[in-house]
Amino acid sequence: MTQFNWLHWALLSALFAGLTAVLAKAGVKGIDSNLAMAIRTVVILVFAWSIAIYHGFDTLNKATARTWFFLFLSGLATGASWLCYFRALQLGEASRVAPVDKLSVVVAMVLATLFLGEHLTWRHWLGAGLIVSGTVVIAKI
C-alpha cells in the first residue's frame, strides 16, 4: 500500500463511491432517508475512529484552531451533502443521481481555483466541460 500514489487512491475512492451509491440506494428503500443517512454516519464514525486509533494520534498536537475550523466546516458540508444525496437516492434512480452528484468534481475545481489559488490548465477545463456534458446526457436534465 505504500507504493500507492494519489491516482491509485483516487481510483479506489471512485470504486468505493460507486459502491456507496448502489448500496445506499438498496439501503434507503423503505425507511426515511435521514434515518438511513444517520445509520451510515454511525458506521463511518466507528470505521474512521478505528483507523485513527490504529494509526495513533501523533499529529493531533499539530492541529491548529484553523485546522479545527476548516475540518468542522468540512464536516458540516459533508453532512449536508449526505442528507441531500440520500434524499435524491430515495426519490430517483442511482444511475441518474450519482452522475449529478459527481458535478461536485467541477464545483471542487472551481472552488480550488478561487479560494486555494490552484492553477487549472485547459485540460482541467475540458475535463470539467465533459463532466458537465456527460451529466446532462445521463441525467436527462
Side-chain angles (χ1 to χ4, degrees):
M1 290 254 205
T2 57
Q3 300 280 329
F4 279 24
N5 64 25
W6 70 267
L7 182 58
H8 295 110
W9 289 110
L11 289 170
L12 283 171
S13 174
L15 170 70
F16 289 122
L19 281 170
T20 297
V22 173
L23 296 171
K25 175 66 179 178
V28 76
K29 197 171 264 182
I31 66 170
D32 179 71
S33 61
N34 297 323
L35 177 60
M37 194 264 319
I39 292 168
R40 178 177 119 166
T41 302
V42 169
V43 172
I44 292 168
L45 187 66
V46 170
F47 180 69
W49 275 105
S50 297
I51 291 170
I53 290 168
Y54 176 77
H55 285 282
F57 295 92
D58 300 342
T59 61
L60 184 60
N61 61 346
K62 294 179 183 176
T64 64
R66 183 180 190 276
T67 300
W68 284 98
F69 175 71
F70 282 110
L71 290 176
F72 176 80
L73 290 180
S74 175
L76 289 178
T78 298
S81 173
W82 289 357
L83 282 170
C84 296
Y85 186 69
F86 269 76
R87 184 66 176 146
L89 281 174
Q90 191 171 50
L91 298 172
E93 300 170 352
S95 60
R96 293 176 76 191
V97 171
V100 173
D101 178 67
K102 295 312 169 216
L103 285 175
S104 63
V105 171
V106 177
V107 172
M109 290 170 65
V110 170
L111 293 176
T113 301
L114 294 173
F115 297 109
L116 301 177
E118 293 186 8
H119 175 73
L120 302 184
T121 67
W122 67 270
R123 289 183 176 141
H124 290 98
W125 294 115
L126 175 62
L130 291 171
I131 290 169
V132 171
S133 299
T135 300
V136 169
V137 169
I138 291 170
K140 300 176 191 168
I141 297 174

